[in-house]
Amino acid sequence: MSLIDRGLSGAALVAVIVLLRALLGGRLPRRTFPVLWWVAALRFLLPFTLPSPLSVHALLRPMEPAAPPTPGPAGLPAQLLPGLSPAPAAEPLPAPFPLWQVLWLTGTLLLALWFLCTALRWRRRFADALPVREGAAARWAAEHPRIALRRSDRITGPLSYGVLRPVILLPKGLEDEDTLRCVLTHEYLHIRRLDGIAKPLFAAVLCLHWWNIAAWTLFLLAGRDLELSCDEAAVRQLGRPAVYARALLRMAEQRSRPLHSHFNQSPIEERIEAIMNLKKLTLPALLCAVLLVTVVTTAFATSAPEPESPGLHAQSAPEDAPKDEEVPLLPVSGGQLSAPYGQRTLYTYPDDDEDTEPVESTILHSGIDLSAARGTPIMASLSGTVADTGFTASRGNYVLLTHENGYETLYTHCQSVDVSAGDTVTQGDTIAAVGSTGMATGPHLHFELHQNGTPIDPLPLLPDLS
């Protein structure tokens, strides 16, 4: 999944979350939205798709029209004899490095460098912080030995950072026990919920998708919802919304840091309003939140499943084709289809006089042509026995294999043949090399599949091409 595709898919998910946040933000547990932001961030970052028939993208995917056959050059025969194919198309020249990639990489590196320098600058400020030795904060630290509690005179608001070795950093002068209890509870919830991972994750989304306004929306609103979620959980735990609101007001003037969690971060008005309007957590509300996360994730974080047969032909395989046996293997690894099976137009001139009108007729192209570099190994499409090898003026060097249930495979225009009549081969064994012998205009393999002596289209039976 390309960066652009991930950006578009993530943008759709962000739009849905913003809409739900506006409509249901005060009715659902606040924890709902950080979970949705996590899902959106992973959709922006993960390079693979998660196919689902319930994805909304399955409903929006347009129908792809079948590609019309490409006609040959005017006045030239498209087919002269069975097995003769036009020359493989020339490979396009490599394009220069696109300008948009240069711009994207430059923006990504600059933004990542800014986040890194900001984090390192603040970590240096934290380095001289001293452990808390006395008072209510020291008693709390004794009850939570896994978390380092420190004070610093270089910050003006409390914050937490670290995952494996979490730290809560308090500013000097924060001594009021009620405020201290609110601050410590809030920061402890950030640590327990692994918000120290969430903030860098959201920053990574912004660095990779800085050109996408949805990434900026995610970065801003996700950080805000992390704070609102911890506010809600802290008030439920402490049971004193008025005291908690006063503690927020005391810290209202403090500034935030981009990659750390803060008691005083995000708009104070929104947080106080959410605290004072906090409703009792009920089972229906919890079930609705779980259902909402499940539905949004399934519908918008997944992709449409691939169609069963998106290839060049929509026809089905013959009813008596081998089903419980080997599936035919593409005989040339990486080979590109240059001519399909089917009727071809043939132009001939009476008595070889090119001044007369050509006579148009059709002839069956009894196999498919796979263009590949000269010398590319040709593999046995099915296990079987070598019935014949040799050289003719039209086929060039060829190999004919027989298989069970009346099937045969023919490989022509080979540069060299590595097997002899009577040899037994296993599917995938090298039997020849791609060449341009016989009546061929370029290196390719002409491959035929016969059933009871009659040529059939091998394309629907080849999983690599069908």
Side-chain angles (χ1 to χ4, degrees), residues 58-136:
L59 304 176
L60 301 178
R61 182 172 59 188
M63 298 295 293
E64 297 181 1
T70 304
L76 293 179
Q79 177 75 21
L80 299 178
L81 289 172
L84 177 62
S85 65
E91 295 184 2
L93 295 175
F97 198 66
L99 177 61
W100 75 266
Q101 290 188 8
V102 175
L103 295 176
W104 167 78
L105 186 59
T106 301
T108 296
L109 292 177
L110 289 177
L111 199 55
L113 185 62
W114 182 83
F115 277 119
L116 180 61
C117 291
T118 301
L120 292 177
R121 185 174 69 250
W122 282 104
R123 287 299 178 94
R124 284 198 298 269
R125 293 190 181 186
F126 304 160
D128 58 357
L130 300 175
V132 175
R133 302 293 188 188
E134 56 185 19

Side-chain angles (χ1 to χ4, degrees), residues 370-395:
L370 301 170
S371 63
R374 193 184 305 271
T376 301
I378 298 173
M379 299 172 287
S381 183
L382 294 166
S383 299
T385 303
V386 180
D388 189 20
T389 65
F391 177 88
T392 68
S394 60
R395 292 178 176 176

Side-chain angles (χ1 to χ4, degrees), residues 354-365:
E354 296 187 4
D355 293 331
T356 61
E357 288 293 327
V359 178
E360 180 179 334
S361 59
T362 58
I363 191 169
L364 177 67
H365 184 233

Side-chain angles (χ1 to χ4, degrees), residues 201-220:
L201 183 74
F202 301 149
V205 171
L206 188 58
C207 289
L208 290 175
H209 298 269
W210 57 266
W211 46 270
N212 191 335
I213 192 169
W216 292 88
T217 303
L218 181 149
F219 183 75
L220 296 174

